[in-house]
Amino acid sequence: MYYNFYNSFASIRNNEFLRKAATVNCIVNMLEILALLLLTYVSSTENYGVHEKMFISFMVFSIAHMLITLYLFRHLRDSDPEDVDLRRSLTWKHRLAVFNWTIFVMSLYFFFRHNKHCEPGVYTLFALCEYLVVLSNIFFHGTAYFDFKDYVFLAKNTRDEFPSFKRPA
């Protein structure tokens, strides 16, 4: 969806580097979602090593996606400074990304402090930060509202167009 969104702007469509950045951003976003799915599926008590690797992967892809998104949106804003929706979207994306990165650094601090000193309440602070990282990531993706608010999405039954997909009678 975002790939088509980015390429709907001539300033990206006509710039090979920005087109490639949009493509990379979509791939990174899919990897972020895959890592999040695996992170959700494998609990830390079930398999700590896999859970840890998926959390690291999720954060790497999440941060990369946010950085590339901010870069692309800054370019879009600069190419059309009158577009209020682009400015609003970029502003919220920037705020949420900075919040996400700040909370992530705090979560690392609490995680390592807990593992080194095992102080009461520190793991709770780590868990709180972990939840805030996930929530801020959700809200970052929720800024799609500003980007697609004028779009209409249609779910269509295609059984008549593709007879091989019909259910047996």
Side-chain angles (χ1 to χ4, degrees):
M1 202 160 65
Y2 264 107
Y3 181 78
N4 290 333
F5 172 80
Y6 290 132
N7 284 297
S8 70
F9 293 90
S11 60
I12 288 183
R13 196 174 49 249
N14 298 330
N15 182 315
E16 185 179 350
F17 177 77
L18 293 174
R19 267 194 338 268
K20 286 182 180 180
T23 301
V24 168
N25 200 30
C26 291
I27 293 168
V28 167
N29 183 233
M30 285 188 272
L31 292 171
E32 172 193 359
I33 292 167
L34 177 63
L36 183 60
L37 284 170
L38 292 171
L39 173 66
T40 304
Y41 183 71
V42 179
S43 72
S44 61
T45 54
E46 182 182 347
N47 190 331
Y48 181 79
V50 170
H51 185 81
E52 179 185 41
K53 286 174 183 53
M54 287 305 104
F55 182 73
I56 291 168
S57 299
F58 167 68
M59 287 310 303
V60 166
F61 293 131
S62 173
I63 290 169
H65 172 68
M66 288 180 184
L67 285 170
I68 299 168
T69 297
L70 290 173
Y71 177 79
L72 290 168
F73 268 81
R74 281 197 180 110
H75 178 77
L76 291 176
R77 180 205 56 198
D78 293 345
S79 67
D80 189 3
E82 301 300 316
D83 191 327
V84 176
D85 291 328
L86 278 176
R87 284 198 328 257
R88 183 177 297 128
S89 182
L90 177 60
T91 299
W92 277 106
K93 281 174 175 43
H94 185 262
R95 288 175 184 165
L96 290 163
V98 169
F99 179 79
N100 181 277
W101 302 333
T102 303
I103 295 298
F104 176 62
V105 169
M106 290 173 62
S107 75
L108 289 175
Y109 169 75
F110 291 128
F111 177 78
F112 289 116
R113 183 171 164 180
H114 166 72
N115 284 339
K116 185 173 183 177
H117 302 292
C118 208
E119 300 166 295
V122 174
Y123 192 79
T124 302
L125 293 173
F126 164 72
L128 175 65
C129 288
E130 201 173 30
Y131 278 106
L132 290 173
V133 163
V134 171
L135 282 174
S136 60
N137 182 278
I138 290 168
F139 288 132
F140 182 90
H141 288 287
T143 61
Y145 165 77
F146 300 119
D147 307 330
F148 297 106
K149 71 179 188 125
D150 295 329
Y151 288 69
V152 174
F153 297 96
L154 177 66
K156 182 180 176 192
N157 182 343
T158 59
R159 281 190 211 129
D160 296 333
E161 294 174 33
F162 301 101
S164 62
F165 291 123
K166 284 189 177 179
R167 291 187 202 149

